[in-house]
Amino acid sequence: MSWSGAEVSALAAKAARGAGAPAGQAALFGQAAALHLQQGRGAGALAEALETLPEGPIMDLPLVLQEALPVARSGGEIDVVWAGDVALAWSYLETMPYRCDVELERPGGLKVRFSPRSDARPRAQRISGCEELLHKMATLAAKTLVPDSAASRSGGAGAGLTDND
Amino acid sequence: MKDHVAPHQAPLRPPAQVMRLSRMGSMFPTRLSFLRTLMRFLAAEKAQVSRPVWQMCPEGYGHAVYALSFGGHTYSLVAVSTALAPEDRTDRVIAEAWDSSYVLYDGVPDADEIARMCATAPRQEAARFTERDLVLSRANKSVRLFQHVVERLRAGQQPDRQMVGEIGYLMRTTAVYGNGKFGIADRSCIDTRPGLSGPFMAEMLTVWLIRQFTHDLVEHVGQGRLDRDLKRHLGIGNSTGLGMAPFLVTHPVLLNNWMLARETALARVRAVRHLEPERAVRLVALADRARRHLAEWCVPDAAHQARIDRLRADWVRFAGGITAKALAEEGALERLIRASGTQSEDLQELLVALALEPFPELVDGLADCMADPVGPVAAPLADTAQLRDEIACHFGWALAPDYADAAQCRQFWYVSEAKQEPRLGDRFAEEGAALESPLDIGRRIKALFLDLPERSEDVRAFLARSPEHFLAVARVALAAGYPYAEIRDNLIGAGCLPIDMLRCKLAFFGASKFDPKSDRWTRITLCQGAPLADELDRRADDWWLPVFDA
């Protein structure tokens, strides 16, 4: 079975929220997670990131992006200091709307060159071979769902009238 | 914006005026609506729809395939019609069976692929799909009208025109899924293709083809032919609920681009000082069409019908001033728009939609600016002092409410366990507020503002200490570059009516005949008056606010 990038992104974002990440960081993790898997960078870093909440890369990598943003906008190189999984950091950097080439990958960080991106985002690749991670994400995502109730059902589309009209 | 030779334009209406829920909930479709854009494109491409497969029993159960080619690609709609017991027919998202189900397929499916989709499409969310599947949808019959049309056709007669006029569709969709849902293709697989690069184009194409299928199905079961004008008036219904509302909050760049395109179009039209006589005549005719459309727009809900009635009366009075003679004066259109400022928002927004209609050369190119091909490009915020200034400049609407007041935080958005349906609850009467979805943008901005340190510091240092404000900071960072990105109202206040968000989005789709069933969901009609598959070469673009010439 293969998955679309959009559904993995949505699932990863919900999983991060379910694991305790604030909404903004969770959404960013969702984007990065899909890119990460599409690039074949391995599911382990994503699972670990979810496990280490409320600390770890899901909380820290958004701050790395904050630091990189001015350079990314103007184009140029930056040394990204990052002691964690550099592949995951790379995936986060690629969520920005700029072309991002990693010139040097090393323990403790990356040297990155930013340049303007062409018009469109690259075509998303299908995601497969990470069922265990996706199952884990689904379990965490379920923690964000509110149990069904009569009161909640009464407001949805189609509620309150016959549909055989 | 991609329009390189920008025409003159008047000042844009400010976001503080445009981005209010009540105004968004008064919007009408325009020539920038996605269905209109799609029809123009298909006509320009001389796209021809064929029906290579029609395997349907006399009762109308089976499958069909429709195909059309444009922009160097072929797309096929696979339609599956199944028997459905009345007790199983529901428009709710939580339904598990439907009268019909659909897949928009990338290419021409072979027999194996058709068999696969015939097995999976009826299962909808319970099935898995592939990257060849672009859109997934389902629709239920309007049992009353479908049966009536079948009976009349079988008797060699045409259906009752009044009934066709009142209902307006043979089936209504209850979901149209795109962009990767349940394994279908990501939008990025098709968003550079001609004709599909605009927002929701694949979904609109699907809806238009479904409408064609409903016509063919009723004629097949009724063993007769519908008159062309009846058929053209039969659009495709839709039931839309809260699931659509969060999209406008979670896609601020798209919302900005849609609104900015529409407001830019209006600003261009307002700058037109002299109207050619033929343009004035067209405006007068369209104003009269709007009057007839309003007269045909009837809904069961008394409160909404009263609102329509008021608009009808107001429009008759106001449109009395839209004459060829009056429009011949210099600056007439701008004066008209200014004069509408004392009228209801319903009338003002109807006038905006009307004003855009006769100016394709000023408006249509802006449709190319309504997608979001690169994602948000936010300017970095230097420090918390700049953050404070940006909030003060752009988010006065968010700072005003006292969110501790029960009325200002009465509602909370959440996702239900039941098919993951977005819902809205009463914070003080229902469980689940701890799992609230982050659509409370105004409250978050105010909380951020109140937490900013007195002495300015680096934003990163602030966020390291207060990570809960990351989302709010990101929204503030967007404000300068995307002025129409935020709905400038309290989305968790007791007075928030989600129906306003639904109408805004649906108007951009091209919906008309809004038929609210509560403040949380509505029925609508899409494609009413739109060209039939064999009419793209004749009347592709003249169906704004369609009327039924009974």
Side-chain angles (χ1 to χ4, degrees):
Chain A
M1 182 191 298
S2 71
W3 296 64
S4 72
E7 62 183 334
V8 169
S9 179
L11 178 63
K14 289 175 194 163
R17 277 191 61 219
Q25 287 87 339
L28 196 51
F29 176 69
Q31 293 175 42
L35 283 168
H36 192 82
L37 294 172
Q38 283 166 340
Q39 297 299 326
R41 290 177 184 147
L46 300 176
E48 192 177 323
L50 287 167
E51 282 164 10
T52 52
L53 278 169
E55 297 177 339
I58 293 176
M59 302 303 289
D60 297 337
L61 280 169
L63 301 176
V64 171
L65 296 197
Q66 287 278 324
E67 184 182 11
L69 182 58
V71 178
R73 278 176 61 86
S74 57
E77 285 182 4
I78 184 173
D79 282 313
V80 175
V81 178
W82 177 247
D85 186 288
V86 289
L88 183 57
W90 189 353
S91 299
Y92 263 79
L93 290 164
E94 286 186 328
T95 64
M96 294 201 286
Y98 309 98
R99 184 182 166 91
C100 159
D101 294 310
V102 170
E103 298 204 334
L104 185 62
E105 196 177 338
R106 64 195 171 205
L110 313 103
K111 182 184 279 294
V112 181
R113 166 162 285 281
F114 288 105
S115 52
R117 183 184 273 177
S118 58
D119 268 357
R121 283 178 278 243
R123 178 183 166 135
Q125 303 296 311
R126 298 293 283 189
I127 294 168
S128 60
C130 50
E131 277 70 19
E132 190 178 336
L133 171 68
L134 297 180
H135 178 73
K136 179 188 181 74
M137 285 181 174
T139 303
L140 290 169
K143 294 182 177 181
T144 66
L145 304 177
V146 175
D148 197 27
S149 71
S152 74
R153 274 195 301 275
S154 66
L161 79 172
T162 172
D163 293 307
N164 288 299
D165 59 351
Chain B
M1 309 292 272
K2 284 183 182 172
D3 271 18
H4 296 302
V5 184
H8 294 299
Q9 67 179 60
L12 296 170
R13 293 193 298 178
Q17 178 187 3
V18 175
M19 300 306 295
R20 300 302 303 272
L21 272 179
S22 62
R23 185 173 295 276
M24 295 168 77
S26 302
M27 285 175 57
F28 284 87
T30 72
R31 60 180 305 114
L32 283 171
S33 294
F34 307 145
L35 272 167
R36 293 284 302 279
T37 301
L38 176 68
M39 290 299 109
R40 286 195 294 269
F41 183 86
L42 294 182
E45 287 274 307
K46 297 183 169 53
Q48 301 215 334
V49 179
S50 64
R51 197 182 74 185
V53 177
W54 183 265
Q55 292 190 12
M56 210 64 67
C57 75
E59 292 76 30
Y61 305 124
H63 68 272
V65 178
Y66 294 78
L68 81 170
S69 299
F70 58 87
H73 298 268
T74 299
Y75 304 95
S76 301
L77 179 81
V78 177
V80 184
S81 172
T82 41
L84 182 67
E87 61 270 24
D88 292 333
R89 185 176 291 108
T90 170
D91 287 2
R92 301 299 307 265
V93 166
I94 52 179
E96 293 183 342
W98 301 269
D99 284 312
S100 59
S101 49
Y102 309 89
V103 173
L104 183 71
Y105 184 82
D106 188 4
V108 180
D110 61 19
D112 288 345
E113 282 288 77
I114 292 172
R116 174 182 66 79
M117 286 181 273
C118 285
T120 53
R123 298 177 59 221
Q124 296 280 296
E125 298 96 332
R128 292 291 300 171
F129 296 86
T130 77
E131 62 183 324
R132 298 294 296 272
D133 308 329
L134 304 179
V135 176
L136 174 66
S137 184
R138 70 285 188 109
N140 284 337
K141 288 171 182 155
S142 166
V143 177
R144 226 167 13 122
L145 186 58
F146 198 94
Q147 285 299 342
H148 169 77
V149 175
V150 165
E151 286 164 10
R152 285 292 181 95
L153 290 178
R154 282 182 175 167
Q157 300 168 348
Q158 289 298 304
D160 178 72
R161 295 182 72 89
Q162 186 176 346
M163 196 166 171
V164 169
E166 283 173 4
I167 298 175
Y169 53 79
L170 292 164
M171 289 195 191
R172 55 180 171 265
T173 57
T174 66
V176 183
Y177 293 117
N179 192 20
K181 301 281 192 323
F182 315 111
I184 63 177
D186 279 305
R187 177 172 154 72
S188 61
C189 296
I190 54 170
D191 67 358
T192 56
R193 293 188 187 180
L196 297 186
S197 58
F200 291 98
M201 282 297 142
E203 290 86 343
M204 296 300 105
L205 175 63
T206 303
V207 163
W208 183 65
L209 290 170
I210 291 174
R211 176 216 194 197
Q212 178 73 30
F213 171 72
T214 68
H215 296 167
D216 291 356
L217 187 68
V218 83
E219 289 184 337
H220 171 84
V221 180
Q223 300 163 41
R225 288 282 171 266
L226 276 165
D227 285 350
R228 183 170 285 272
D229 68 322
L230 287 173
K231 210 187 277 191
R232 197 182 295 130
H233 197 72
L234 286 168
I236 185 81
N238 175 265
S239 279
T240 296
L242 291 175
M244 188 169 269
F247 183 94
L248 294 181
V249 184
T250 56
H251 294 78
V253 175
L254 268 183
L255 178 60
N256 173 81
N257 293 353
W258 298 358
M259 297 302 252
L260 182 58
R262 197 184 69 127
E263 292 304 314
T264 303
L266 176 63
R268 288 178 177 182
V269 168
R270 294 180 78 156
V272 173
R273 301 298 299 166
H274 300 281
L275 281 174
E276 304 93 326
E278 57 273 22
R279 196 104 66 175
V281 167
R282 176 88 175 126
L283 268 169
V284 173
L286 288 167
D288 187 60
R289 185 195 293 178
R291 177 190 61 76
R292 288 185 290 149
H293 179 88
L294 294 176
E296 291 179 5
W297 183 11
C298 300
V299 299
D301 179 72
H304 199 75
Q305 186 60 51
R307 182 174 159 187
I308 296 169
D309 291 343
R310 277 196 302 278
L311 178 57
R312 281 177 187 164
D314 291 347
W315 185 254
V316 167
R317 273 192 298 276
F318 188 84
I322 306 177
T323 63
K325 187 180 174 197
L327 292 170
E329 295 174 14
E330 184 175 347
L333 204 45
E334 168 64 7
R335 263 199 307 284
L336 204 57
I337 291 166
R338 281 186 185 277
S340 74
T342 59
Q343 303 288 320
S344 67
E345 287 177 316
D346 281 340
L347 188 142
Q348 291 174 37
E349 294 307 305
L350 176 56
L351 183 63
V352 167
L354 168 70
L356 304 192
E357 196 58 27
F359 294 97
E361 76 282 10
L362 295 180
V363 174
D364 294 356
L366 292 163
D368 292 341
C369 310
M370 297 174 86
D372 172 24
V374 295
V377 182
L381 296 159
D383 51 33
T384 55
Q386 189 191 359
L387 191 50
R388 183 189 298 279
D389 290 346
E390 290 290 315
I391 294 173
C393 179
H394 300 291
F395 291 91
W397 60 271
L399 301 180
D402 174 7
Y403 297 99
D405 181 334
Q408 298 294 343
C409 66
R410 168 73 63 184
Q411 305 190 85
F412 70 101
W413 297 81
Y414 66 93
V415 180
S416 167
E417 270 183 3
K419 267 200 172 181
Q420 302 199 17
E421 184 181 33
R423 291 180 182 171
L424 194 57
D426 182 328
R427 190 180 306 278
F428 305 107
E430 295 174 48
E431 299 292 321
L435 298 173
E436 183 168 6
S437 301
L439 303 186
D440 54 338
I441 300 299
R443 183 170 65 171
R444 286 172 179 269
I445 299 286
K446 184 164 184 176
L448 163 64
F449 188 77
L450 294 175
D451 276 0
L452 288 174
E454 287 191 14
R455 283 188 63 161
S456 185
E457 67 177 333
D458 183 84
V459 172
R460 210 156 57 99
F462 170 73
L463 283 174
R465 203 173 58 251
S466 304
E468 70 276 15
H469 293 309
F470 183 81
L471 174 59
V473 169
R475 301 298 282 232
V476 175
L478 285 179
Y482 303 93
Y484 297 96
E486 298 290 354
I487 299 170
R488 298 188 175 210
D489 266 304
N490 177 13
L491 301 183
I492 57 170
C496 170
L497 302 178
I499 193 79
D500 291 332
M501 300 158 80
L502 304 184
R503 177 153 166 181
C504 169
K505 190 176 175 195
L506 291 165
F508 273 111
F509 284 8
S512 58
K513 302 276 178 71
F514 297 92
D515 178 10
K517 299 300 179 187
S518 77
D519 60 15
R520 298 176 187 202
W521 75 276
T522 184
R523 283 182 180 166
I524 53 158
T525 310
L526 290 161
C527 297
Q528 192 170 64
L532 303 171
D534 61 357
E535 292 180 330
L536 284 169
D537 58 340
R538 298 196 290 282
R539 50 184 320 282
D541 199 32
D542 187 16
W543 53 288
W544 178 71
L545 296 192
V547 292
F548 190 35
D549 292 312

